[in-house]
Structures are given as C-alpha cells and as structure tokens.
Amino acid sequence: MSKITVADHLAERLIEWGVDTIFGFPGDGINGIFEALRTRQDKLRFIQVRHEEAAAFAACGYAKFTGRLGVCLATSGPGGIHLLNGLYDAKCDGQPVLAITGHTFHDLIGTHYQQDVDLDKLFMDVAAYNQRVMGPAHVVNVVDEAIRTALTRRTVSHITIPKDIQEWAKSEDERSPANIAHHSSDLFAASHPIPPERLLKQAADLINKGSKVAMLIGQGCLNAREEVLALAEAAAAPVVKALLGKAAIPDRNPYATGGIGLLGTAPSQDALRECDTLIIAGSGFPYMEFYPKPGQAKTIQIDLDPARIGLRHSVDVGLIGDCRSVLHALVPFVEHKKHRSFLEKAQKRMTAWNELMEKRGTRSDMPMKPQVVTWHLNKLLDPDAIVSSDSGTIATWSARYIEMREQMQFSLSGSLATMGNGLPYSIGAAVAYPGRQVVCVVGDGGVTMLLGEIATLVKYKLPVKVIVIKNNVLGEIKWEQMAQEGNPQFGVELQPIDFAGYARCCGAAGFTIEDPKDAESILRQALAHPGPAVVEAVVDPNEPPLPGNISGEQALKFAEAMAKGEKDRWKIIKTILEDKVREVI
C-alpha cells in the first residue's frame, strides 16, 4: 500500500470541499503537491498558466463569475511573490480565494537557503487566514480553517507547506493528544441575517418621505435583480450602478441610468447630485466626490459588513445583511410612489445619453475611434456572454458600450484597479463555463503585461475572444496627466506590438481592424471562430475618455496642459470640439 503524504491529505481535503479546479505554475518547491494532483487528475483539474500572477487573477475571476472558491498554486520564493497582485485584487473586491504555496525545506527556513522567502510573513496583509502546515495531522485542520475563512469573510486565505513536509507520511498515532482526529468539518454555513423590523421601517419611512429617491448598487446586488427592481418600482428610483454591479440589472432597463464616476454616465451623476434620498446597496464605490453633498440626502445603506456602513457617505439607517434578503424584507414597507417626475426626468436624460453614445459609436472617422469597436461588439454578444475587462481607458469604453442583457456577466479589477487582470479573468470564466461565450475587452497596455496567457487559451482550447484596443499609449495615465495634473503627457507611449501576429504565432486566430466600416464584419468573423482568437483594433490615441460631466477644475487643468506644450494639442482640441459633449465648459 502506497504511503499517504501531506500533499495527498491536502488534495483529498480540497476535493471534499468541492474544489475541482486549481490555477497555477509548477516549481520544485511544490513537487510533492504536483504528484498528489497528478494522481487525482480525474477529480482535480490543474490549469497551467504562464505566470503565477495570472493564476491568482484567474482564481479571482473564477470566484467572481461562479460565486465559488477560487484556488491558485505557486512554488516557494519567487513563485509565491508573483501571486500577490492577483491576491490583492481578490481581497480588494471581496472574493474568496485560497492560495497554496511551497516553502523551502523545514529545517533550512531562515538560513538563507535558495528561495528562502518567508511567505507566511509576506502574506500577512493580503490573507485573512495565513498558516504554515507542520505535518500530516495539521494539514486537514488548516485547509478547513482556510477555506471557511475565505468563504465566510469573502477574502483571501493562504497555506504554505515546506517542500519536505509535503512528502511526509507519518502515522495517525503521531498526532498530538489535543488534536482529536476528525474534529474539523468540511462545511461552510452561509449566514443571511435580516435586520430587525424596527430598522426596516425606519429605512422605509425615509424612502416614503423622499420625493427624489435614487439607488446606488454594487456587486452585492448581483444576485438580487428582482429585489432591486421591485424597490426601484415602488420608490420611483433611478438605479445607478457601480461598475462591479454592472450586471445586476440590464443596462436598457427603464430604471437603469448606467455607471457612475469618471467612466459613468451624465444621467447617473445628475441623479446623485439632485436626489434627496439615497439607497446604497452592496456597494463600496470609492470616489466620494460623486456622492450627494453632505446633508443633501437622507441615506440608507445595505451591506454584509457592519464596518462598511458610513464608510463613503454619511448614513441615517444602516441595514446589515445580504442585499437580496434585506431588499426582500424592505420592499413590503415601502409605499408605491404616485409622483414619479424624478424618475421620468432621469429616463429622458438616459434616452438622450444613449443617443449620444450611438452617435459616437457609429462614427466613420479615421483613425478609428475606440467607441466604434465596443459599440459593434456589444450588438454581437450572446445574452449570457461573460465579459472581462481591464484597467485604463478600456474600462470607460467597456462600461459605456457593453450593455448587460439577460444573464450576461461582467467584471474587472474594481478597488485595486490593477492592469493585467482582464485576460486571466477570461481564463477563469472559460474554465468554469465551457459552453458560454467569453469575451475579453482589454487595452494594449494591460494585455501586454500577461500576454503569454494567449498560449494558455490555446493549450486548453479555451475559445475566448480577446479584443485588444490598440492606441500605443497608456491612455488613462495620459489623460490623467493632462486633466488632473495640468501637465503634458510623459512616459506613456508604448512600442507597437502586432497582437494579431502574436496570436497566430501562439496558435490562436488573429484579426486586425483599422477601418470602422470593417469593424462589425471582422468582429462577427472572430466571434464565430471555434477556438481562441485575438482581434487587434487600431484606434485613435487622441480620443479622450471624457467623464459624463466635466468639472471646471478638470477643464482648467486640461487647458494648462495644452498651454505647456502638449505635443498633440491641436489633434486633441480638434477631437474634443468634434465630440460636442454638452458638459464641456
């Protein structure tokens, strides 16, 4: 009979918890774990990425799109270090991810041995549970606690196992007398508390008294569409969506006014600027300047975490619990409003906004405008498509032009706003949902960071369609330098890459769009391709991702940048004048 090692115990306990997918990269510091995975390939699927950072991002994307635990694996030292950015992304966006790393030999830790990085100390900030496994009788207890913590607190847990301990196979009688066998359970008991009726009535009373009620919803409402719309109907409230909550309700729903913030819509910003009552549900939207002014609106906030009540905006009533459960309990106390002028005004504004977006998305200018690509892509997406995006100007084009319909899902890096997440997110989505259309909409800056993951798509035959908006510049930083700092662009220009050619070299299909009249046909061809495909869309680098409403300060800073000698100033000024945005002053 073969020996049962620590790595075997680890793998078996993961299986008992329902884990079936692990994203990672091999290394000699985790060879024992890899042997346990090799012998359990029928139960545990290992997805090999090309960079450990991608493994963590893929695990985060997997968690976001499935609601399940994401798991990533990396070797000791540098491998574990590479996980950190993706794990911080999971922590910041509240996603349950378990990171497993190797360590050097247990009796050489702290002696400057090769790859001797004290990972359990390194992970102290990112991981809510963070532990080093000390032997066969320890591993099950640690796995159980790590997974329960990640699921309960919707955060990151980390387990590190020294290289030699992975292969230990001590007998059961060597466990400590206090560590009773089978005392730990592979059970997660979800909690869905309901606030007391007294608080529900207080919240409803504020809503009933308000004449201009608005809702701001986030990712906490992704499973609460019916409840959100029921409250919006009763309160005659326009629904503003933080970007992580984009898929909570369809974008063309009559209550939806789109996103908020620099990449949001003017109607959403108008709604928050004018409301007298605000309901914040499942959102930690960080930019406080977009909330109602202090004292303007009576505010109700719904959140799972009591520590987040009042974090961004002064709150009159805090309701603790899952948004779906709390909204379901709240709606019966809300009176149906007869006067609906505030909502109707928002709807008229949204009609005008959508018309403006259509004009921008159907332009025939050369060089091609980035909006044209996402406008045409949006029309071709399946009703249950999964869309991932990246940080930068691409977030603006995705937020405004990719419209959620039916069962579509969408995500990007929210609170961390890191670059490079979009492509690995799509890997996590495609692995989780092999029958669904998965599309990755990214910029040339972000996708280049983990471009090797195109090979991962090819290796596992994941039919992800990667749409690269190529402007050869770090666009978001460029516009921030000008509109926020009042300085000309510097250090943001990128060396051009032939992304379509690169895709073909990796074994994927490669397409290029340069003329807007070809956008729809080429996108349609790429989406119909049976395997992974990359579409390189060459666009105008001087098209600014203007906010829905431009402030006087932003306009002044922009003018200062032009006056200081911005090299493309005449092209930029011409573009802005042609855009004819009503808010520009």
Side-chain angles (χ1 to χ4, degrees):
M1 182 176 179
S2 60
K3 64 180 182 178
I4 305 299
T5 66
V6 166
D8 290 324
H9 285 300
L10 168 70
E12 286 298 324
R13 200 54 170 178
L14 291 173
I15 293 168
E16 288 165 1
W17 271 99
V19 173
D20 59 16
T21 303
I22 298 176
F23 303 92
F25 194 82
D28 63 358
I30 46 175
N31 278 340
I33 296 174
F34 264 75
E35 176 59 13
L37 297 180
R38 184 190 70 81
T39 57
R40 292 167 177 81
Q41 296 178 65
D42 58 330
K43 296 178 181 179
L44 271 176
R45 173 176 47 177
F46 175 73
I47 303 296
Q48 177 216 76
V49 296
R50 290 303 183 99
H51 193 292
E52 289 93 350
E53 183 177 359
F57 277 137
C60 180
Y62 181 93
K64 283 187 171 186
F65 293 124
T66 67
R68 300 176 59 197
L69 179 75
V71 182
C72 55
L73 172 64
T75 190
S76 54
I81 293 169
H82 282 161
L83 290 176
L84 284 175
N85 195 44
L87 295 180
Y88 270 102
D89 183 47
K91 175 185 177 179
C92 291
D93 282 356
Q95 298 304 314
V97 170
L98 171 63
I100 303 169
T101 64
H103 209 319
T104 193
F105 297 93
H106 86 283
D107 53 358
L108 290 175
I109 292 173
T111 66
H112 306 289
Y113 194 70
Q114 186 184 35
Q115 297 191 338
D116 183 13
V117 176
D118 210 344
L119 294 178
D120 41 339
K121 291 181 180 177
L122 182 68
F123 281 59
M124 284 176 65
D125 180 62
V126 74
Y129 182 84
N130 179 32
Q131 194 57 251
R132 184 187 303 175
V133 170
M134 304 301 291
H138 192 210
V139 64
V140 170
N141 305 343
V142 169
V143 170
D144 289 352
E145 188 71 14
I147 293 178
R148 273 196 297 267
T149 300
L151 292 173
T152 302
R153 298 174 60 178
R154 299 196 61 80
T155 191
V156 174
S157 287
H158 169 239
I159 298 170
T160 188
I161 311 178
K163 176 181 174 67
D164 52 333
I165 289 181
Q166 294 169 30
E167 300 177 5
W168 284 5
K170 295 184 178 180
S171 62
E172 283 290 307
D173 58 9
E174 293 189 51
R175 70 170 54 238
S176 64
N179 185 12
I180 305 300
H182 310 298
H183 77 271
S184 186
S185 176
D186 58 337
L187 174 67
F188 166 63
S191 174
H192 299 287
I194 302 296
E197 186 173 300
R198 171 183 59 83
L199 287 180
L200 292 170
K201 287 182 176 179
Q202 284 183 20
D205 186 55
L206 292 180
I207 297 170
N208 294 336
K209 289 178 179 178
S211 61
K212 299 177 181 179
V213 181
M215 296 179 65
L216 171 60
I217 65 172
Q219 67 174 347
C221 289
L222 289 176
N223 68 338
R225 177 176 297 180
E226 292 183 8
E227 292 75 14
V228 166
L229 294 177
L231 180 55
E233 162 62 23
V239 179
V240 177
K241 299 189 292 182
L243 195 48
L244 289 180
K246 182 173 174 62
I249 66 172
D251 279 299
R252 291 284 178 154
N253 185 278
Y255 296 100
T257 60
I260 188 65
L262 292 175
L263 41 67
T265 71
S268 286
Q269 193 166 335
D270 291 339
L272 293 192
R273 187 175 59 238
E274 298 171 4
C275 70
D276 62 17
T277 308
L278 176 64
I279 303 159
I280 305 171
S283 175
F285 177 71
Y287 303 109
M288 291 169 279
E289 63 268 29
F290 291 95
Y291 286 84
K293 292 181 179 179
Q296 170 192 321
K298 295 293 185 182
T299 302
I300 301 102
Q301 185 176 353
I302 304 169
D303 204 287
L304 268 175
D305 186 354
R308 289 184 172 268
I309 299 296
L311 179 64
R312 310 295 186 198
H313 186 66
S314 180
V315 171
D316 296 280
V317 179
L319 303 175
I320 307 304
D322 169 73
C323 286
R324 184 177 185 180
S325 302
V326 175
L327 289 170
H328 182 78
L330 174 63
V331 168
F333 296 104
V334 177
E335 300 169 359
H336 189 276
K337 290 193 183 297
K338 296 179 181 179
H339 301 290
R340 309 176 78 79
S341 59
F342 183 64
L343 172 63
E344 290 165 358
K345 181 188 291 186
Q347 290 170 334
K348 289 179 181 178
R349 287 169 169 169
M350 201 61 201
T351 298
W353 177 267
N354 286 330
E355 290 173 354
L356 176 62
M357 293 299 101
E358 182 173 1
K359 288 179 182 177
R360 300 231 190 117
T362 54
R363 288 169 63 171
S364 58
D365 310 48
M366 288 291 289
M368 182 171 60
K369 300 299 182 182
Q371 300 97 313
V372 172
V373 184
T374 43
W375 166 264
H376 287 291
L377 174 65
N378 176 64
K379 296 187 296 181
L380 302 174
L381 294 174
D382 290 346
D384 67 344
I386 302 174
V387 181
S388 66
S389 193
D390 218 310
S391 296
T393 55
I394 191 62
T396 299
W397 314 134
S398 298
R400 291 181 179 171
Y401 290 91
I402 303 299
E403 297 180 346
M404 296 294 102
R405 301 182 291 276
E406 298 184 33
Q407 301 307 310
M408 288 175 66
Q409 291 178 271
F410 173 89
S411 198
L412 43 54
S413 176
S415 295
L416 187 62
T418 180
M419 296 172 68
N421 69 285
L423 180 53
Y425 270 23
S426 72
I427 293 172
V431 167
Y433 299 105
R436 291 173 65 176
Q437 183 186 63
V438 178
V439 178
C440 175
V441 186
V442 292
D444 49 356
V447 75
T448 304
M449 291 183 171
L450 290 170
L451 195 55
E453 301 311 323
I454 299 296
T456 304
L457 299 181
V458 174
K459 177 174 182 174
Y460 293 101
K461 299 179 173 61
L462 302 175
V464 173
K465 308 304 183 276
V466 183
I467 315 301
V468 182
I469 305 298
K470 176 182 173 180
N471 58 9
N472 300 321
V473 68
L474 297 173
E476 188 71 19
I477 307 303
K478 167 184 175 176
W479 298 111
E480 286 175 351
Q481 287 176 347
M482 289 189 286
Q484 293 183 12
E485 307 299 332
N487 297 321
Q489 61 173 306
F490 178 75
V492 294
E493 293 180 344
L494 299 172
Q495 174 66 25
I497 293 173
D498 180 357
F499 292 101
Y502 177 86
R504 289 190 287 269
C505 288
C506 289
F511 302 85
T512 300
I513 309 171
E514 294 183 281
D515 194 319
K517 71 176 185 297
D518 300 326
E520 182 174 351
S521 61
I522 293 177
L523 285 168
R524 191 181 296 276
Q525 184 181 353
L527 291 173
H529 181 73
V534 174
V535 178
E536 174 187 71
V538 183
V539 303
D540 185 359
N542 294 313
E543 179 70 12
L546 295 170
N549 286 310
I550 294 181
S551 69
E553 182 180 358
Q554 288 170 329
L556 180 60
K557 290 291 186 183
F558 194 83
E560 289 177 3
M562 298 298 102
K564 287 181 179 179
E566 166 57 41
K567 68 182 183 66
D568 293 325
R569 59 187 178 277
W570 298 118
K571 294 178 182 178
I572 294 168
I573 290 171
K574 180 176 180 289
T575 299
I576 292 174
L577 290 175
E578 289 175 348
D579 281 346
K580 297 178 181 177
V581 184
R582 67 174 175 86
E583 294 83 11
V584 176
I585 56 175

